C-alpha cells in the first residue's frame, strides 16, 4: 500500500512507499525516515514511541523551516528599506526632488511598504519579531547618525527638514519606533496596527504635501496647519486604512464586517486628523501623537 506524507514546505517533496521498498527523494526529512514502516520493522520501535518520535522530529523540521523562512524575509525587507532610503538619497543628491518632498515620500512609503510586507513572513508566533527587527535596525541607524557617531550626510539630507543630524533623533526615530510597536503588539491579526500606520504614514504624510501646496486657509486654532492638509489627511488616511484592511482580509488574516468597519475607520480617521491638527507638535511629535490617538480610538472602536 502506498503511503505518502507531505514534508515541510521547503522540501515540497513527497516520500512514497511502494511494495514496502522506500523510494525517497533526496529531500526526505529525517523525521519522515524514522517514522517509515521499514524503519519500525528494522528497529522494533512501538507505535506510541514511533508517533512521539515522528511528532517531535516533524515539529523540529517545521520550526527549522519557519526560522529559515523568517530570516530570509527579514533580509529581504531590510534590503528593501536600505534601497528605498538610498534611492531618495540619490534623488535628493542629484536635486531631482527637494529635500522636503524626499522626506515626506520616505515618510509615506517606508511604513506602508513595511505593513504590506508582513505577509511574506511565516505563520510562526515569532514571525512578528523578525519583522520588528527591521525598524529596530533602522532605529539604531538613526541613533548612530543622529548622535554623529558616524554621520551619513545623505541619510541626514533625505530624511530631515533642515539637514541637522540631531533631527534624526526626533520624527524619524519616533516613526520607526511606531512601526516596531505596531508589528510586535498588533501584527497581522488586528486592524489596529494597520490603521495607526495608515494614518501616521499615509495620512500625516499626505497632509504635509497637500497642506504645503494648497494650505492657504489655516485652521483657526492652529495657524501652522490648514484645512487642505487636514482634509487630505482624513481622506487619504481613511482610504489607505480600508485598503490595508481589505488586503489583509483577502489574505485571510482578518474577517471584517464591512458595514460597520467603514463607519469605524471613518471615526478613527477623524480622531487622528483632529489630533494631528492640534497645536501640540512642539510638545509632542505627531509621529507619537497620531499613532497613539489612532491606536486608542481603534481599540475602543474595534476592541482587538
Ligand atoms: C522620514 C521619516 C520620518 C520623518 O517623519 P516626519 O518628521 O516627517 O514626521 C521616515 C524615516 C524612515 C527610516 C529612515 C527608514 C524606515 C524603514 C522601515 C523601518 C522599513 C521599510 C521597509 C520597506 C519594505 C521599504
Ligand atoms: N494638517 C496639516 C498638516 C501639515 N500641513 C503643512 O505641512 C507642513 C508640515 O507639517 P508638520 O509640521 O505636521 O510636518 P511633520 O511633523 O508631519 O513632518 C506644515 O508646516 C503645513 O504647511 C498643513 O498645512 N496642514
Amino acid at each position: 500500500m502506498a503511503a505518502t506524507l507531505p514534508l515541510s514546505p521547503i522540501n515540497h517533496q513527497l516520500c512514497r512507499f511502494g511494495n514496502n521498498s522506500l523510494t525517497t527523494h533526496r529531500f526526505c526529512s529525517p523525521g519522515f525516515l524514522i517514522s517509515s514502516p521499514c524503519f519500525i520493522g528494522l528497529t522494533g520501535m512501538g507505535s506510541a514511541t514511533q508517533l512521539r518520535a515522528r511528532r517531535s522530529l516533524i515539529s523540529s523540521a517545521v520550526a527549522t523551516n519557519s526560522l529559515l523562512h523568517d530570516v530570509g524575509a527579514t533580509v529581504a525587507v531590510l534590503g528593501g528599506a536600505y534601497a528605498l532610503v538610498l534611492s531618495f538619497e540619490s534623488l535628493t543628491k542629484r536635486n531631482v526632488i527637494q529635500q522636503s518632498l524626499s522626506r515626506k515620500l520616505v515618510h509615506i512609503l517606508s511604513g506602508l511598504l513595511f505593513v504590506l510586507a508582513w505577509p511574506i513572513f511565516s505563520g510562526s508566533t515569532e514571525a512578528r519579531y523578525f519583522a520588528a527587527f527591521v525598524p529596530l535596525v533602522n532605529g539604531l541607524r538613526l541613533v548612530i547618525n543622529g548622535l554623529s557617531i558616524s554621520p551619513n550626510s545623505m541619510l541626514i539630507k533625505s530624511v530631515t527638514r533642515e539637514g541637522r543630524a540631531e533631527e534624526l533623533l526626533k520624527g524619524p526615530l519616533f516613526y520607526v519606533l511606531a512601526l516596531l510597536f505596531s508589528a510586535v503588539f498588533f501584527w497581522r491579526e488586528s486592524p489596529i496596527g494597520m490603521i495607526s500606520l495608515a494614518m501616521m504614514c499615509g495620512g500625516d504624510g499626505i497632509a504635509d504635501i497637500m497642506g504645503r501646496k494648497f494650505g492657504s486657509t489655516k485652521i483657526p486654532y492652529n495657524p501652522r496647519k490648514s484645512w487642505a492638509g487636514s482634509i487630505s489627511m482624513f481622506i487619504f488616511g481613511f482610504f489607505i486604512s480600508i485598503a490595508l484592511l481589505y488586503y489583509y482580509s483577502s489574505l485571510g488574516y482578518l474577517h471584517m464586517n464591512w458595514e460597520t468597519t467603514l463607519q469605524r475607520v471613518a471615526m478613527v480617521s477623524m480622531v487622528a486628523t483632529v489630533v494631528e491638527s492640534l497645536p501640540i507638535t512642539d510638545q509632542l511629535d505627531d509621529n507619537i501623537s497620531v499613532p497613539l490617538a489612532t491606536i486608542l480610538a481603534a481599540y475602543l472602536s474595534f476592541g482587538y
Side-chain angles (χ1 to χ4, degrees), residues 103-104 161 204 208 211 224-226 229-230 276 286:
R103 179 166 61 83
K104 273 308 139 184
R161 288 185 181 84
D204 184 31
D208 183 315
R224 291 163 63 177
K225 302 290 174 79
S226 67
S230 292
E276 192 275 342
D286 56 13

Side-chain angles (χ1 to χ4, degrees), residues 162-180:
E162 295 149 19
R164 290 182 293 108
E166 56 271 23
E167 287 181 66
L168 295 177
L169 303 176
K170 297 176 182 174
L173 183 58
F174 300 143
Y175 177 98
V176 295
L177 291 176
L179 298 185
L180 186 153

Side-chain angles (χ1 to χ4, degrees), residues 38-39 64-65 73 76 88-89 103 135 147 164 173 192 195 199 204-205 219 251 256 266-267 274 277 285 292:
C38 5
F39 183 88
T64 304
N65 290 331
F88 281 95
E89 284 176 3
R103 179 166 61 83
L147 295 175
R164 290 182 293 108
L173 183 58
I192 296 174
I195 298 172
M199 295 312 298
D204 184 31
I219 291 174
L251 293 176
M256 311 303 295
M267 184 276 291
V274 169
S277 71
D285 193 285
L292 282 183

Side-chain angles (χ1 to χ4, degrees), residues 48-107:
T49 308
Q50 175 249 325
L51 281 175
R52 276 197 298 274
R54 177 192 294 189
R55 286 197 188 111
S56 63
L57 280 157
I58 290 177
S59 62
S60 65
V62 169
T64 304
N65 290 331
S66 292
L67 177 64
L68 293 174
H69 181 157
D70 288 327
V71 166
T74 303
V75 169
V77 178
L78 274 172
Y82 184 77
L84 179 78
V85 176
L86 193 66
S87 303
F88 281 95
E89 284 176 3
S90 171
L91 291 172
T92 309
K93 184 177 183 179
R94 291 184 284 122
N95 293 316
V96 173
I97 57 174
Q98 292 178 349
Q99 181 177 344
S100 58
L101 181 58
S102 164
R103 179 166 61 83
K104 273 308 139 184
L105 291 176
V106 173
H107 179 119

